[in-house]
Amino acid sequence: MKHTLSLLVENKPGVLARIAGLFSRRGYNIESLAVNTTESSEISRITLVVDGDEKVLEQITKQLYKLIVVLKVNDFTDVPVVERELALIRVNSDTNNRRAIIDLVEIFRASIVDVSERELIIEITGDSEKIDAFVKNLEPYGIKEMVRTGKIVMPRGMRLNSK
Amino acid sequence: MEMTVAQAIIKFLQEEGVEVIFGYPGGAVIGFYDALYDSSLRHVLVRHEQGAAHAADGYARASGKVGVCVATSGPGATNLVTGLATAFMDSSPVIAITGQVRTNVLGKDSFQEADITGITMPITKHNYLVKDPEKVLTVFKEAFYIATTGRKGPVLIDIPADVFMAKINYSYPSNINLPGYKPTYDPHPLQIKKAINLIKSAEKPVILAGGGVISSNASSELLKLAEKINTPVITTLMGKGAIPEDHHLYCGFLGMHGAAYANFTVNNSDLIIAVGVRFSDRSTGRVDTFAPNAKIIHIDIDPAEIGKNVSASVPIVADAKIALQRLYEEVEEKNNPNWWAQIKEWKEKYPLKYKNSDEVIKPQYVIEKIYEITKGSAIVVTEVGQNQMWAAQFYKVKYPRQFITSGGLGTMGFGLPAAIGAQIANPDKLVIDIAGDGSIQMNIQELATAVCQKLPIKIFILNNSCLGMVRQWQELFYRKRYSCTLFDFAPDFVKLASAYGIYGRRVEKPSEVEDAIYWALEKNDAPTIIDFKVVREENVFPMVPAGGSIDKMMID
Ligand SMILES: Cc1ncc(C[n+]2csc(CCOP(=O)(O)OP(=O)(O)O)c2C)c(N)n1
């Protein structure tokens, strides 16, 4: 089962290496990762998606807490959250299909951020499912390149369930 | 007071109560050594940085204090790695200070540059690269705090050469702020209550004591609890010394080469009170058949140990000493006569034994004699292999910090430098390094260190002309295909002793063993080597084949 973990860590050099290293040497796989600073410049937030059962998750959480630089580990898996990912997609597009693609972009509330004769670059944000669905719809036109960020999440309403 | 960072570090170490550091100089730490030149801090010059790390570790294990080692950048620092990994696996509080290239050439593959913080990340509890001279003392304070609290462990501090020479104003850093590090010492009262109920209803309880008992100085609490509930105490290899081994409640150490009765007792128990153990695979054997009917009360200061290898019915995250005291206060006295009758039967039926001989020297016989002659009082440090297991089986230790061995990493070459650390921590005690002829050659250069420091360590080599433990596995599991384990050359250890200007003697007959041990014990001004020519074919039994159940042992 996939879990979304949200970590607060000290914003210091090498912190990401410590965390990534912990995952790799203990045989856990990171599926998605997003890092940046928070409202405090001394603290960064790392959001990661990992696969594993409850036991694995418990062990991951405990091992993360052993790192001196980790301040907080939240498991947002069963918590209502606002979840976002961003993707930039370079897709084939000529005059024949341009209208159809623009329609798709509107339906998905994506936006076209670059136009040239044979291709478009489209930006889309949303949860992973939305982006997956958009990508699927674009595929027939020929996706030339895609970059996706890691997932970021924020719990809805009041703060919940911190481990 | 203004001084260089190097001077400030030395002053800090002294204020922190450090009396000795083990190290080896080099370009990046010249500044530090220059400051050391004027100080009264004792510096032990090793002959290889691995020796410095093991010696600091041995010192820490034997004294309960922090062990400090120093190395230069690059090769000096990387030479510490095995020692740090060893300390990490056995939760030993070691501080490693490494020099680093100057800040202006850092990251440019400069001469003698190695990313030692990157390299040691997985084998230290924490590490630092300090580029800001103003932060050095705070980092040191944090490092000492981290190394010595919670689950103890090594911390490395990497300091660029120019930072050592920068000027700062010394003030002892009294405050530290580590928001991400808050060890739990007090057990949760509810868990203690649950534990008490389990203990009350258990019919076949055992206490399993590990290295955590020793590191938290919890032996007397352990003994009080064990006596009150009349429960057998079994230790792990790292737990040897947690209870006096001549005590009637002691039931051996468990695991791959543990006593059969210890393994039977643990595996047939209905309650394991596990204290400061991490259920290493060497102790549990196959986990899914480990103590199938036992509930487990798992006391550990490291929450990540609970549930890592076996699942616990009652998890108690706490310092062993405090948790044991709580249990002792709240538990009712109890008696388990049927259980003890069963254990007694196992003890009688499956004692630790070997076949002695008049013609050839049996290694177990040597250990037994060492035990008898030293009356069980010596600090015993071991190398790794058969020698280590025979020492664990036949030297009955009496007190904590008396048996010093590389349990987690199984590091050959640990013994001699660790014995140096142990002897420095205990100048008045007898320190013995039980060695194999393979292991002793892994850090034999440290003889020079022992000589210079006038340490009367007894190095007893169980010389079987082979890498015994690996040879044993090849014999039993690889159809006696002795690939690269039989030595066809050996140095003359007696001549080697004389090359170092110390005492050496070779023993080839069982009848000479006792006399030689007495002879060695008389030498008080320098190390002594005895080369016991023992029989090559001897194996360590019992043995649980790797990955097997601990109650399915090869007995002989
Ligand atoms: C640094 C290191 N290298 C290799 C090993 C693997 N190993 C484990 S026991 C052993 C044999 C040890 O031989 P010796 O020191 O002569 O002791 P004996 O088993 O003969 O008592 C070896 C090679 C190890 N534990 N450590």
Side-chain angles (χ1 to χ4, degrees):
Chain A
M1 143 135 202
K2 291 206 193 338
H3 290 260
T4 308
L5 300 182
S6 174
L7 325 182
L8 288 176
V9 300
E10 290 187 51
N11 181 12
K12 284 189 179 155
V15 169
L16 188 59
R18 284 178 202 280
I19 288 163
L22 185 155
F23 275 81
S24 64
R25 76 174 184 276
R26 294 199 180 263
Y28 312 131
N29 190 24
I30 300 176
E31 305 211 340
S32 156
L33 177 74
V35 195
N36 216 323
T37 49
T38 59
E39 63 282 1
S40 154
S41 63
E42 279 163 28
I43 296 177
S44 294
R45 185 178 293 280
I46 299 180
T47 308
L48 30 82
V49 180
V50 291
D51 202 1
D53 61 20
E54 284 306 318
K55 263 188 102 85
V56 168
L57 237 305
E58 183 186 320
Q59 194 46 224
I60 290 179
T61 309
K62 286 173 165 177
Q63 292 295 345
L64 283 169
Y65 268 125
K66 280 179 75 166
L67 299 177
I68 310 283
V69 294
V70 171
L71 305 173
K72 186 119 206 118
V73 181
N74 285 304
D75 184 353
F76 283 149
T77 310
D78 297 322
V79 177
V81 289
V82 180
E83 173 190 321
R84 289 291 179 272
E85 235 176 84
L86 184 146
L88 293 174
I89 305 163
R90 188 193 304 276
V91 63
N92 283 328
S93 164
D94 52 30
T95 41
N96 295 330
N97 61 21
R98 191 149 285 182
R99 187 64 242 170
I101 293 180
I102 291 171
D103 287 346
L104 259 183
V105 165
E106 273 167 13
I107 293 168
F108 278 88
R109 292 172 204 262
S111 52
I112 294 170
V113 291
D114 190 62
V115 182
S116 59
E117 217 174 306
R118 297 235 174 82
E119 60 186 44
L120 299 170
I121 299 179
I122 304 169
E123 170 195 317
I124 178 166
T125 60
D127 60 21
S128 319
E129 288 78 39
K130 174 178 163 185
I131 295 174
D132 290 344
F134 184 60
V135 168
K136 222 177 160 60
N137 278 285
L138 275 189
E139 261 164 12
Y141 303 103
I143 293 177
K144 296 174 90 173
E145 194 182 0
M146 174 166 73
V147 284
R148 271 171 89 154
T149 65
K151 181 155 104 172
I152 55 171
V153 295
M154 190 175 268
R156 291 179 186 278
M158 282 308 294
R159 285 278 151 119
L160 289 156
N161 186 36
S162 63
K163 263 192 205 159
Chain B
M1 210 195 327
E2 203 185 60
M3 55 178 79
T4 65
V5 164
Q7 288 167 331
I9 292 170
I10 288 164
K11 190 167 161 60
F12 171 84
L13 293 176
Q14 286 175 318
E15 287 199 46
E16 199 68 17
V18 172
E19 284 162 0
V20 54
I21 56 181
F22 303 87
Y24 205 89
V29 286
I30 290 187
F32 180 79
Y33 275 84
D34 187 63
L36 203 57
Y37 201 62
D38 301 320
S39 101
S40 59
L41 198 60
R42 177 171 179 191
H43 178 271
V44 173
L45 177 65
V46 294
R47 296 302 186 270
H48 183 304
E49 291 87 351
Q50 187 184 347
H54 288 321
D57 183 356
Y59 175 89
R61 295 185 201 220
S63 66
K65 296 190 237 165
V66 178
V68 181
C69 57
V70 184
T72 193
S73 68
T78 55
N79 272 350
L80 292 176
V81 166
T82 304
L84 292 175
T86 305
F88 184 67
M89 287 291 264
D90 291 342
S91 310
S92 184
V94 168
I95 300 276
I97 304 168
T98 49
Q100 182 52 277
V101 300
R102 307 175 67 83
T103 41
N104 61 345
V105 294
L106 194 62
K108 298 188 164 48
D109 303 321
S110 307
F111 179 64
Q112 296 197 323
E113 176 173 4
D115 172 18
I116 197 64
T117 43
I119 291 168
T120 58
M121 233 173 236
I123 54 160
T124 50
K125 187 170 170 187
H126 194 54
N127 62 21
Y128 297 87
L129 164 62
V130 204
K131 291 192 268 189
D132 178 355
E134 294 298 330
K135 294 210 171 120
V136 170
L137 291 175
T138 316
V139 162
F140 265 83
K141 183 74 188 168
E142 286 181 11
F144 271 74
Y145 181 67
I146 291 168
T148 56
T149 54
R151 178 177 184 171
K152 297 172 178 127
V155 178
L156 178 138
I157 308 168
D158 197 26
I159 302 173
D162 52 324
V163 174
F164 274 124
M165 298 319 289
K167 289 263 165 80
I168 56 168
N169 272 313
Y170 184 87
S171 75
Y172 183 81
S174 34
N175 288 326
I176 45 167
N177 177 26
L178 290 168
Y181 180 68
K182 299 254 179 311
T184 307
Y185 295 99
D186 282 318
H188 198 289
L190 192 73
Q191 301 299 341
I192 292 286
K193 196 159 277 161
K194 284 191 194 157
I196 297 290
N197 286 334
L198 281 188
I199 294 172
K200 197 170 174 182
S201 55
E203 284 166 15
K204 301 193 259 176
V206 300
I207 293 176
L208 181 59
V213 173
I214 290 168
S215 116
S216 89
N217 301 317
S219 294
S220 63
E221 287 76 9
L222 179 86
L223 195 56
K224 271 171 24 192
L225 175 69
E227 282 173 344
K228 191 165 178 188
I229 59 178
N230 195 20
T231 297
V233 178
I234 285 155
T235 67
T236 63
L237 184 67
M238 291 302 296
K240 264 179 78 76
I243 172 172
E245 296 188 0
D246 49 9
H247 193 282
H248 67 277
L249 292 177
Y250 178 66
C251 276
F253 79 98
L254 94 161
M256 181 173 275
H257 296 294
Y261 51 86
N263 286 350
F264 287 134
T265 305
V266 169
N267 237 34
N268 288 286
S269 65
D270 64 358
L271 176 67
I272 299 174
I273 306 168
V275 198
V277 302
R278 60 189 180 85
F279 291 102
S280 134
D281 54 313
R282 274 292 191 274
S283 291
T284 62
R286 213 179 130 161
V287 200
D288 56 359
T289 54
F290 175 73
N293 302 315
K295 298 222 162 81
I296 297 177
I297 299 168
H298 193 174
I299 302 170
D300 205 293
I301 193 136
D302 179 359
E305 282 310 332
I306 295 174
K308 186 182 79 181
N309 296 340
V310 301
S311 38
S313 314
V314 179
I316 300 181
V317 178
D319 176 55
K321 194 180 177 83
I322 303 175
L324 287 167
Q325 179 66 25
R326 283 298 137 75
L327 289 177
Y328 169 75
E329 283 159 10
E330 296 187 28
V331 81
E332 284 167 26
E333 287 183 26
K334 66 185 277 161
N335 226 324
N336 314 290
N338 295 341
W339 182 221
W340 274 111
Q342 167 72 77
I343 294 168
K344 210 170 148 238
E345 204 181 304
W346 283 325
K347 268 190 159 174
E348 275 160 16
K349 208 159 156 197
Y350 306 103
L352 283 170
K353 58 168 199 262
Y354 66 96
K355 274 196 209 74
N356 208 352
S357 154
D358 291 338
E359 272 118 58
V360 288
I361 304 179
K362 290 295 186 99
Q364 301 95 325
Y365 172 74
V366 176
I367 307 278
E368 270 190 342
K369 283 294 152 199
I370 297 171
Y371 172 68
E372 274 173 36
I373 293 170
T374 60
K375 303 190 180 67
S377 66
I379 294 181
V380 174
V381 186
T382 79
E383 298 288 349
V384 165
Q386 293 181 319
N387 61 84
Q388 177 185 32
M389 291 303 136
W390 285 317
Q393 290 180 339
F394 293 96
Y395 202 98
K396 301 185 195 68
V397 305
K398 285 189 182 157
Y399 56 91
R401 307 190 181 283
Q402 188 192 351
F403 188 78
I404 294 174
T405 198
S406 169
L409 200 66
T411 311
M412 290 171 71
F414 170 79
L416 175 55
I420 288 174
Q423 183 78 78
I424 286 175
N426 296 277
D428 300 328
K429 283 205 170 126
L430 174 61
V431 175
I432 294 174
D433 177 27
I434 304 283
D437 49 322
S439 298
I440 193 67
Q441 294 183 64
M442 279 217 178
N443 274 317
I444 195 136
Q445 76 287 346
E446 297 311 328
L447 269 179
T449 309
V451 173
C452 293
Q453 299 291 325
K454 301 194 173 48
L455 305 175
I457 298 166
K458 317 298 170 215
I459 300 159
F460 292 152
I461 305 175
L462 304 178
N463 187 346
N464 53 11
S465 311
C466 65
L467 299 172
M469 189 56 97
V470 184
R471 191 209 61 81
Q472 172 169 346
W473 284 50
Q474 289 171 332
E475 177 188 331
L476 300 174
F477 309 116
Y478 290 85
R479 294 181 289 129
K480 302 195 182 184
R481 286 154 55 87
Y482 295 129
S483 179
C484 306
T485 50
L486 307 182
F487 284 135
D488 42 24
F489 167 79
D492 182 328
F493 289 111
V494 178
K495 280 196 186 145
L496 190 103
S498 105
Y500 278 94
I502 59 172
Y503 307 101
R505 183 162 162 180
R506 178 168 302 111
V507 181
E508 284 167 312
K509 286 200 240 72
S511 58
E512 299 163 354
V513 169
E514 279 193 31
D515 183 55
I517 296 169
Y518 279 114
W519 174 83
L521 296 194
E522 282 163 16
K523 312 282 182 253
N524 284 324
D525 54 340
T528 306
I529 294 180
I530 301 188
D531 182 19
F532 291 99
K533 294 278 190 197
V534 301
V535 53
R536 182 183 257 185
E537 288 73 28
E538 196 66 17
N539 288 335
V540 183
F541 289 116
M543 175 178 198
V544 178
S549 303
I550 54 163
D551 60 350
K552 306 255 180 323
M553 283 155 284
M554 304 163 86
I555 300 278
D556 50 29

